Amino acid sequence: MEEGKGRKIIMFPLPFVGHFNPMIQLARIFHHRGFSVTILHTSFNFPDPSHYPLFTFRTIPHNNAGGEDPMTQPDVSSMDLVAFIRLLRQTYAEPFRQSLAAEVGREKTVCCLVYDAVWVRNTEVAAEELGIRRMVLITQGVASFCAFAALPLLRDKNYLHIQASRLHELVTEVPPLKVKDLPVMETNEPEEFYLIATDMVKGANSSSGVICNTFEDLERLSLMDISSKSQVPIFPIGPFHKHNDNVLPTTKNIEDHVTTNWLNKQEPESVIYVSFGSLADIEEKELLKIAWGLRNSERPFLWVVRPGFVRGTEWLEALPSGFVENIGQKGKFVKWVNQLEVLAHSAVGAFWTHCGWNSTLESICEGVPMICTPCFTDQFVNARYIVDVWRIGIELERTKMDKKEIERVLRSIISKEGDGIREMCSELKERANVCLRKDGSSSKYLDKLVNYVMSFDSNALAS
Ligand SMILES: O=c1ccn([C@@H]2O[C@H](COP(=O)(O)OP(=O)(O)O[C@H]3O[C@H](CO)[C@@H](O)[C@H](O)[C@H]3O)[C@@H](O)[C@H]2O)c(=O)[nH]1
């Protein structure tokens, strides 16, 4: 399709896998509709552009011209995520403004900026100065966005510092969430976290529109909720990765082939796939509980243990000597996998996940039941919806995790007890397929989005 021909969209992703992947998938969706796309990316975590030949990439340098990169200083690696995001926002605010101005000066066909909701203030000011329309991408679910939007109210009502004895109470302002599901985070900078979360909502509400990686049938009530509170158009066009086989190009390495060969040898729906995404880390003692629980469940498992996953040590050193050898072919440990391929493999019977939004959607699209161990922010919200609303998973709380409980949950989800969950998974998978058909809700919203962006003037001064 050629609708967007001659028009350029500038995109500004947050440089983490869980945020970059959906932005690139969205870029491919726009490209498919004829737009050209330039990605402005921080020098930190700069991707290999040769993997994404459809797009132009420009590096945004850090703010310490000629000096050391503030993002790679030794003390940065020990920072908590909130402090890290604060530093990221400070480091790239002015360089982003200059990069955007240079891009707009060079290109007369720019019709809008699409940026990750977390960047907010830096981008708002820069885009407004240049008269560029800005649209926000929410890489999380809409239910969690609604919970972020409710944070000021919840803070006024003192929910954010509630006693441990009330953690299981329903929060009537944001049902079906319980106090323990509120999208908060353990951090040394709680005020900064509150600022990032509330800025994100304000930034979205003052933008020209919000693009969400979700579909109407999945989050209907939450979509109605934000639409009723916000003046800006909302475009739920997900799941992004299912548009036109929008699978990101990956270079296959030997490890991927070995993993596929191993999966090919397993019984259908027998394997527990374990991955906690790209950011969460765990304590050494948690690693041990997971390892023993997996072993004792006697189910085959595929476990992603990426570097940095265990706080302060290498995972292999944390396990008793001989543990991996004793597991033998029953379990497989890998640093990283092609998750979409793994979830689509017929041998996979359940996904033990931290409930990051991409993993949640990917699992829904493949109809795989989930075991939910959320670690921070939106993951708590996603877990509640997976377990209580969509009924496609079982909760395995991080604080309650011990080897017996793990063993029990792993055995039950793969057995007859998991039948009801599997039925709901198939139903939801089908609904995800339907929304992407020509007359499905996500396809219709995408047409609306394309027409909307087409209505923006190139390098528009009007807003
Ligand atoms: O071995 C692996 C592990 C992960 N992935 C991919 O990496 C992405 C991980 O994304 P997600 O599941 O969302 O987890 P995080 O990396 O933790 O994502 C961050 O960003 C998400 C979107 O904002 C939030 O929902 C999470 O809470 C936040 O931690 C997914 O696309 C996976 O397919 C792989 O390809 N291979």
Side-chain angles (χ1 to χ4, degrees), residues 18 22 25 138-142 212-216 218-219 237-243 339-340 343 351 353-368 370 382 386 390 392 425 428-429 432-433 435-436 442:
Q25 288 160 350
I138 300 178
T139 58
Q140 294 151 344
V142 175
C212 314
N213 190 9
T214 191
F215 56 100
E216 207 173 43
L218 184 69
E219 295 200 278
I237 61 163
F240 292 176
H241 71 285
K242 286 289 182 182
H243 280 268
Q339 181 163 299
L340 290 171
L343 289 171
F351 180 12
T353 170
H354 69 314
C355 306
W357 184 244
N358 298 289
S359 292
T360 303
L361 266 186
E362 291 163 11
S363 206
I364 288 174
C365 289
E366 300 307 331
V368 177
M370 284 173 261
N382 302 339
I386 292 168
W390 306 318
I392 51 172
C425 285
L428 205 48
K429 176 181 176 177
N433 284 331
C435 80
L436 290 167
S442 293

Side-chain angles (χ1 to χ4, degrees), residues 17-19 21 139-140 273 275 277-279 304 336-337 339 354 356-359 362 376 378-379:
V17 177
H19 290 253
N21 281 3
T139 58
Q140 294 151 344
Y273 167 57
S275 172
S278 65
L279 291 173
V304 179
W336 193 253
V337 288
Q339 181 163 299
H354 69 314
W357 184 244
N358 298 289
S359 292
E362 291 163 11
F376 53 79
D378 66 314
Q379 299 158 16

Side-chain angles (χ1 to χ4, degrees), residues 324-461:
V324 174
E325 292 75 8
N326 284 337
I327 296 279
Q329 282 305 301
K330 192 84 188 169
K332 190 139 191 52
F333 301 82
V334 286
K335 285 201 202 76
W336 193 253
V337 288
N338 182 330
Q339 181 163 299
L340 290 171
E341 276 186 20
V342 168
L343 289 171
H345 198 289
S346 57
V348 172
F351 180 12
W352 187 356
T353 170
H354 69 314
C355 306
W357 184 244
N358 298 289
S359 292
T360 303
L361 266 186
E362 291 163 11
S363 206
I364 288 174
C365 289
E366 300 307 331
V368 177
M370 284 173 261
I371 299 158
C372 304
T373 304
C375 298
F376 53 79
T377 60
D378 66 314
Q379 299 158 16
F380 298 118
V381 179
N382 302 339
R384 179 62 46 227
Y385 274 75
I386 292 168
V387 175
D388 285 354
V389 179
W390 306 318
R391 298 175 192 276
I392 51 172
I394 300 183
E395 192 167 5
L396 180 50
E397 258 185 77
R398 196 169 168 188
T399 48
K400 294 203 180 133
M401 223 166 43
D402 63 37
K403 26 184 203 187
K404 279 263 161 274
E405 178 62 1
I406 294 173
E407 192 187 325
R408 187 192 67 75
V409 171
L410 299 190
R411 281 174 185 273
S412 72
I413 200 154
I414 296 277
S415 69
K416 266 222 111 1
E417 279 176 67
D419 280 354
I421 290 180
R422 270 186 290 280
E423 233 168 76
M424 294 304 289
C425 285
S426 306
E427 200 179 294
L428 205 48
K429 176 181 176 177
E430 177 54 19
R431 286 201 252 153
N433 284 331
V434 169
C435 80
L436 290 167
R437 288 189 194 145
K438 205 169 176 316
D439 57 349
S441 65
S442 293
S443 303
K444 286 188 185 159
Y445 274 113
L446 177 57
D447 289 342
K448 279 190 195 159
L449 172 63
V450 168
N451 287 335
Y452 186 55
V453 174
M454 294 286 294
S455 74
F456 298 165
D457 293 335
S458 298
N459 291 6
L461 287 166

Side-chain angles (χ1 to χ4, degrees), residues 44 71 83 86 101 142 175 180 190 194 214 228 231 256 289 295 337 365 380 415 454:
F44 170 75
M71 302 309 301
R86 172 181 48 71
V142 175
K180 72 187 178 79
Y194 182 77
T214 191
S228 70
Q231 303 304 312
D256 283 327
K289 287 181 196 169
R295 201 201 82 148
V337 288
C365 289
F380 298 118
S415 69
M454 294 286 294

